[in-house]
Structure formats: structure tokens, C-alpha cells
């Protein structure tokens, strides 16, 4: 049995009707944010944790399903270039293992800007339903697209999005040609 560990943030702790708790962990890898979802049957293991806490998680796969082995609170740090989560140090880091393995021309830019939602279109994609969003970054006069798929991190906020409203959008912007974003969070603007 191979055991893997990650550093991440508790995104969701949701008790389910069938007796288990859905635990969603968000973690950063070089230039990308990913999630792991566990169906945890051991409530005692999760009883002291809250959404937003930073944790170290040990897990394995059992019959193609994720199995949570351990979860502990920990302090985490992130690389200033690729935002990969790393164990907190009391010293300056010289190099991050994450961004040093990816060629410079494939690096992405961390994106945090206020944008106007100009299009919101439900679409059927090959394997899932999605909501295609189009944002306008008024400063650059550029349009950016993104798709929120069912059961993704942003799915639960997608019902509250309204065309014409301004939102703060956080994520990754490719340095390659095209106007695509990999969005991590969308919050309502101050207007």
C-alpha cells in the first residue's frame, strides 16, 4: 500500500445522510489548484477541524477510492512564484522544487482582478454539464472565458452569479496566446 501526503486547506466539511462526512481539501501544485475529496467514516478524526484550516493529509487508494489515513493541523507556506504549498520554514527559500521543474515558457501568472461578468451560458460538454463564463477586464479591454463544471469547487457559487455585476476573480492566467483563466475563487465586488 502506497501512502501519499499533501499540504492543503480544508475547503469543505459536510456531514452526509449516509453517515460519513465529505471532506474536501484544496491544495496548490505548481501554477494550479487541485482538490481531493474524501468520504470519511471516522467522525472522531475530523471533529476538531474547521473549514479554512491548513492541514497535512496522509491518504491512499483502496479499490480506486481515496482513503483518509491521517489529518493534522500544520503551518504552510507557498512559493511566491508558483504558489505551491510547502511546509513553513523560519528561513528564506532559495528555490522551489515545483516551479524549477516546469519550463519558464509554461509558467503562469497569478491573477487577482476585478472583472465584469458579461456572459453566462449553460452548456453540455462531453462528460459533464458546465456553465461557460465570460469576463471583461475593463482595464485591458480583454475578455476571458472560464467553465464551471458540476461538482467543482466553484459550482456552489455559480447560482449567485449575475450578468453585468463586477466580481473579484483570483486564479491563473496563461502566458500562452489566448484569454483563458484557471479560476480559483470568485467573490462579489464592492459595487
Amino acid at each position: 500500500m502506497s501512502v501519499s501526503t499533501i499540504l492543503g486547506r480544508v475547503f469543505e466539511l459536510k456531514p452526509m445522510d449516509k453517515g460519513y462526512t465529505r471532506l474536501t481539501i484544496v491544495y496548490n501544485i505548481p501554477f494550479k489548484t487541485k482538490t481531493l475529496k474524501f468520504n470519511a467514516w471516522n467522525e472522531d478524526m475530523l471533529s476538531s477541524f474547521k473549514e479554512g484550516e491548513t492541514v497535512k493529509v496522509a491518504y491512499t487508494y483502496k479499490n480506486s477510492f481515496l482513503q483518509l489515513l491521517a489529518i493534522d493541523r500544520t503551518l504552510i507556506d507557498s512559493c511566491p512564484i508558483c504558489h505551491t504549498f510547502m511546509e513553513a520554514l523560519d528561513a528564506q527559500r532559495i528555490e522551489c522544487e515545483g516551479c524549477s521543474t516546469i519550463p519558464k515558457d509554461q509558467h503562469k501568472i497569478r491573477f487577482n482582478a476585478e472583472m465584469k461578468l458579461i456572459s453566462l451560458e449553460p452548456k453540455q460538454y462531453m462528460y459533464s454539464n458546465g456553465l461557460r463564463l465570460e469576463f471583461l477586464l475593463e482595464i485591458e479591454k480583454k475578455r476571458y472565458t472560464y467553465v464551471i463544471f458540476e461538482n467543482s469547487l466553484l459550482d456552489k457559487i455559480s447560482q449567485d452569479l449575475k450578468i453585468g455585476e463586477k466580481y473579484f476573480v483570483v486564479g491563473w492566467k496563461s502566458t500562452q496566446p489566448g484569454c483563458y483563466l484557471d479560476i480559483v475563487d470568485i467573490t462579489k465586488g464592492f459595487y
Side-chain angles (χ1 to χ4, degrees):
M1 171 169 74
S2 173
V3 176
S4 301
T5 60
I6 59 153
L7 298 170
R9 186 176 313 279
V10 176
F11 179 78
E12 178 184 50
L13 271 169
K14 182 178 180 183
M16 306 302 280
D17 293 338
K18 295 187 177 179
Y20 63 88
T21 299
R22 163 87 43 79
L23 169 66
T24 304
I25 303 292
V26 175
Y27 64 102
N28 288 347
I29 60 173
F31 306 106
K32 191 155 183 70
T33 299
K34 299 190 88 174
T35 61
L36 286 177
K37 292 187 178 189
F38 298 94
N39 294 335
W41 292 91
N42 184 349
E43 289 183 28
D44 295 336
M45 186 186 293
L46 302 176
S47 62
S48 66
F49 290 94
K50 296 181 199 141
E51 291 178 359
E53 289 187 297
T54 56
V55 293
K56 184 174 188 174
V57 175
Y59 66 96
T60 189
Y61 285 91
K62 185 175 183 180
N63 300 328
S64 300
F65 293 101
L66 284 172
Q67 183 178 15
L68 180 66
L69 300 176
I71 182 169
D72 296 305
R73 280 180 194 78
T74 190
L75 295 175
I76 59 174
D77 206 351
S78 65
C79 171
I81 298 169
C82 71
H83 291 267
T84 298
F85 284 159
M86 301 177 280
E87 293 197 31
L89 286 180
D90 220 5
Q92 182 178 353
R93 291 186 194 279
I94 303 296
E95 187 176 300
C96 164
E97 290 178 19
C99 52
S100 64
T101 61
I102 295 178
K104 282 226 185 262
D105 66 331
Q106 293 178 17
H107 283 199
K108 295 180 183 177
I109 300 164
R110 190 69 170 179
F111 189 82
N112 185 357
E114 186 177 53
M115 304 177 82
K116 185 177 187 177
L117 181 63
I118 57 174
S119 172
L120 185 76
E121 180 184 355
K123 289 187 114 181
Q124 175 64 46
Y125 291 90
M126 186 176 288
Y127 299 107
S128 177
N129 291 326
L131 189 62
R132 184 182 176 278
L133 310 176
E134 190 172 358
F135 287 99
L136 174 66
L137 182 57
E138 294 173 333
I139 297 169
E140 297 178 4
K141 305 268 189 267
K142 270 189 168 179
R143 294 174 181 229
Y144 292 90
T145 58
Y146 181 72
V147 177
I148 297 176
F149 290 103
E150 288 181 338
N151 299 318
S152 68
L153 284 178
L154 299 175
D155 186 36
K156 62 182 171 182
I157 66 161
S158 65
Q159 301 89 346
D160 300 330
L161 299 175
K162 293 180 178 61
I163 295 173
E165 297 279 338
K166 290 188 177 183
Y167 297 93
F168 289 105
V169 179
V170 178
W172 296 101
K173 182 169 74 169
S174 177
T175 56
Q176 306 298 320
C179 294
Y180 293 96
L181 296 176
D182 185 7
I183 296 177
V184 177
D185 194 19
I186 301 171
T187 57
K188 184 105 170 71
F190 295 120
Y191 301 91

